[in-house]
Amino acid sequence: MDEESGEVLSQTVLAQRVGWCADLVAGMVSGLLAERWNCADVEVLASGQDAGGRKLPSNAWMALRRLGWTVTAPEGVKVNDRIVRMAQEQAGRALRSASWRAELTAGVLATWPADPRKRTAQEWEQVRKAVPGGEHLPSSIVKSRTRQAARFLAANGRLPVDVFELEGVPKVARMLLLAACDRQQATIERSDTDPSRVLLRLQLPTRPDPRAYADWTWVACPIMLPPTVPADAVLHLPTLRLTGRQVRADLAYTHAVSKAQRTGHTVAVGVDWGLNTLLSAGALRLHEGGRVTALGAGGQFRAAGILAKQHRLRRHGERLHAKADHYQRLTGRDERHQLVGKLAVLRDEIRHVSDRRTNLNAALASPHHPRLEVGDLPPPVLPVAGRPRPGRLAADRRPRPDPSGQDRHRQGQRAHGHPRRGRQTRNGSGHHDKPPGGTGRRPAPPGASHHAPRPGDAGHPPPPGPTAGRVSVRRDTHQRTG
């Protein structure tokens, strides 16, 4: 609601006015980043000290003002000092985050490998020593930065000088960091009757180019808090983001947590690993009399990215094996057959897919896995029938043929030389003949097998231990205002 006119603003009008303010802030942030996006200025900000040796404030906007990095609004536009604070805060955060990427990129460029697509063990050791904290850095981060530099090399014929040439000036998000403001720009208060209701008041422009302070009015925005926010928590000014025609608030809060004791606990978390679920966890409660009950559905290991690629490579390998078996049956022992060359190419591709599956299994068992998540216990992650062999991952069990890929010819239609077994073949007279024995299956030539071997059978590592990887829990605090 607009407090000056008393008009109730619709969701579209509120998003429009927040967008006008966000555009003003984004314009100032873009100008400041374009001016300070270089190695020298980022190193000065990352050092934590000004020219006089004094420690820089933790707030980014205050640190930039201590260094004298100012920004002004466009000519003819009137904004208060709190809008400038939000622009400096957003720009300062972006410049501070570039410091770590600059060190990472410098380490990758200083130890550029002979083959950027695959480093040797010695080259991996060199790049980890060159990057600060590289011994604990996931390999995927180094690989992604290497691919980015390789694309720059292919486009320009040389390696980039630093991350600032490699990335360029970053794009600016449309947001309002109200944490950099005080009560003259925004306030937030809980309702006295309902702790789950919050009122956010902030000044927003009434036009995209405010010419005077009269073009800024106070707007009251009610917010509904989720039940996860305690009633006694201290609320902080949120960050407003635009999502389509909606305004979402990233709300932070602070609440007291009692100090944990070493003994006398009645709630515990149990973690176990197995072949089917790899890693499972659940909370337990101890009651009087020694009775133990489970709390909720628990959680399990999730590596959706690697497992999706594993299944995709498995299906691709099955198709390659089926096609290779078909070519082998057609060529027989004739080394001059026109399909011999294609069969050799297929076998090379099968070996390549097998190596890729082996590398994926090694990445899944590696303690440097980039992301492991814990969530509510879903249906089985690997819904493959059968029991896995001892010492093998459940993802490596031999799958059944995909019925969607089978050829379903109607009775009496030509098979057209389809690689599926059990098909009748057409002889020179135009009649369909069955193989000897009447089983509907043609005998395979020497060296061929009706059963496609599993790519990557050899070299699969055992399942990861219970300490492999990192476990993180992510909670979304986006709230809609309006």
Side-chain angles (χ1 to χ4, degrees):
M1 183 182 69
D2 192 319
E3 296 184 355
E4 182 175 345
S5 62
E7 178 186 1
V8 177
L9 304 180
S10 63
Q11 187 175 359
T12 304
V13 175
L14 176 62
Q16 184 183 42
R17 296 185 62 173
V18 172
W20 290 341
C21 187
D23 291 337
L24 294 175
V25 174
M28 290 186 284
V29 174
S30 299
L32 188 56
L33 287 179
E35 181 182 357
R36 302 296 176 179
W37 188 252
N38 56 75
C39 184
D41 290 338
V42 171
E43 287 181 355
V44 170
L45 183 60
S47 65
Q49 295 181 351
D50 58 7
R54 296 181 300 172
K55 183 179 179 181
L56 292 176
S58 59
N59 294 331
W61 69 272
M62 295 180 65
L64 264 59
R65 292 193 175 187
R66 179 77 65 82
L67 295 174
W69 299 356
T70 59
V71 63
T72 57
E75 185 178 357
V77 176
K78 197 70 172 181
V79 298
N80 57 42
D81 183 67
R82 279 71 186 172
I83 304 298
V84 179
R85 286 187 189 180
M86 287 191 288
Q88 291 178 315
E89 178 70 21
Q90 187 172 350
R93 292 183 183 183
L95 293 174
R96 281 179 171 176
S97 64
S99 175
W100 179 82
R101 300 200 307 276
E103 295 176 350
L104 172 63
T105 305
V108 171
L109 296 178
T111 60
W112 189 252
D115 185 6
R117 294 174 297 180
K118 188 173 183 181
R119 282 184 171 86
T120 62
Q122 184 179 2
E123 290 172 342
W124 272 113
E125 184 178 357
Q126 292 176 355
V127 71
R128 291 191 180 278
K129 289 182 179 180
V131 176
E135 61 274 9
H136 305 296
L137 191 67
S139 302
S140 60
I141 297 180
V142 179
K143 290 180 180 179
S144 62
R145 188 62 56 171
T146 303
R147 289 193 298 267
Q148 189 177 9
R151 288 193 297 268
F152 185 93
L153 175 62
N156 300 276
R158 63 176 179 85
L159 290 174
V161 178
D162 48 27
V163 69
F164 306 100
E165 184 182 14
L166 179 62
E167 295 185 355
V169 181
K171 297 181 179 180
V172 180
R174 301 176 65 200
M175 68 173 78
L176 297 180
L177 298 175
L178 299 180
C181 305
D182 55 13
R183 297 182 63 87
Q184 297 186 21
Q185 173 64 29
T187 61
I188 186 169
E189 295 179 356
R190 277 185 185 267
S191 173
D192 296 335
T193 58
D194 189 0
S196 62
R197 297 181 64 88
V198 174
L199 183 63
L200 173 66
R201 299 175 63 251
L202 72 159
Q203 290 195 65
L204 293 176
T206 58
R207 52 185 296 177
D209 53 344
R211 300 297 180 179
Y213 289 130
D215 294 330
W216 294 79
T217 59
W218 284 93
V219 177
C221 306
I223 301 177
M224 292 296 298
L225 297 179
T228 55
V229 180
D232 58 346
V234 179
L235 304 179
H236 305 282
L237 287 173
T239 297
L240 299 184
R241 305 176 186 270
L242 289 172
T243 305
R245 297 183 178 181
Q246 294 181 349
V247 181
R248 296 190 178 275
D250 296 343
L251 184 63
Y253 62 94
T254 304
H255 65 102
V257 179
S258 58
K259 185 178 179 180
Q261 302 178 358
R262 295 186 177 182
T263 59
H265 296 286
T266 59
V267 179
V269 177
V271 181
D272 190 17
W273 71 278
L275 294 177
N276 292 329
T277 57
L278 293 183
L279 185 64
S280 303
L284 306 174
R285 181 184 296 276
L286 177 63
H287 299 271
E288 296 181 359
R291 186 170 62 93
V292 178
T293 59
L295 302 177
Q300 71 171 190
F301 172 92
R302 292 180 183 175
I306 288 185
L307 292 179
K309 185 177 290 186
Q310 181 72 275
H311 295 329
R312 186 166 58 251
L313 290 177
R314 171 182 58 80
R315 292 191 295 267
H316 183 48
E318 290 175 355
R319 289 191 292 267
L320 292 177
H321 275 282
K323 195 171 184 179
D325 291 345
H326 178 54
Y327 283 1
Q328 183 65 45
R329 288 193 296 270
L330 293 177
T331 57
R333 296 185 179 181
D334 186 5
E335 297 181 356
R336 297 183 179 180
H337 199 280
Q338 60 181 356
L339 295 178
V340 172
K342 293 185 177 180
L343 180 59
V345 174
L346 280 177
R347 287 174 176 172
D348 292 339
E349 182 66 19
I350 289 173
R351 284 192 294 268
H352 176 65
V353 172
S354 175
D355 294 339
R356 291 184 63 185
R357 292 193 66 188
T358 302
N359 294 336
L360 281 179
N361 287 330
L364 188 62
S366 172
H368 300 289
H369 193 279
R371 182 177 179 85
L372 304 180
E373 298 181 355
V374 171
D376 295 336
L377 192 63
V381 178
L382 303 174
V384 182
R387 179 176 299 176
R389 297 181 181 180
R392 296 176 60 85
L393 293 177
D396 297 327
R397 288 176 288 184
R398 180 177 181 178
R400 297 178 178 178
D402 186 6
S404 60
Q406 296 180 1
D407 189 16
R408 298 181 178 87
H409 291 284
R410 296 182 180 178
Q411 186 176 4
Q413 288 183 337
R414 293 181 58 184
H416 295 287
H418 200 275
R420 300 294 178 182
R421 296 182 294 272
R423 295 292 179 186
Q424 299 177 357
T425 58
R426 184 184 297 271
N427 57 18
S429 60
H431 299 284
H432 293 282
D433 293 339
K434 292 185 178 181
T439 59
R441 173 177 296 186
R442 292 185 296 173
S449 173
H450 288 297
H451 300 283
R454 294 181 295 272
D457 277 354
H460 286 297
T467 59
R470 301 190 301 273
V471 177
S472 62
V473 179
R474 180 181 177 183
R475 295 180 180 177
D476 295 331
T477 59
H478 298 294
Q479 299 298 320
R480 187 171 62 188
T481 65

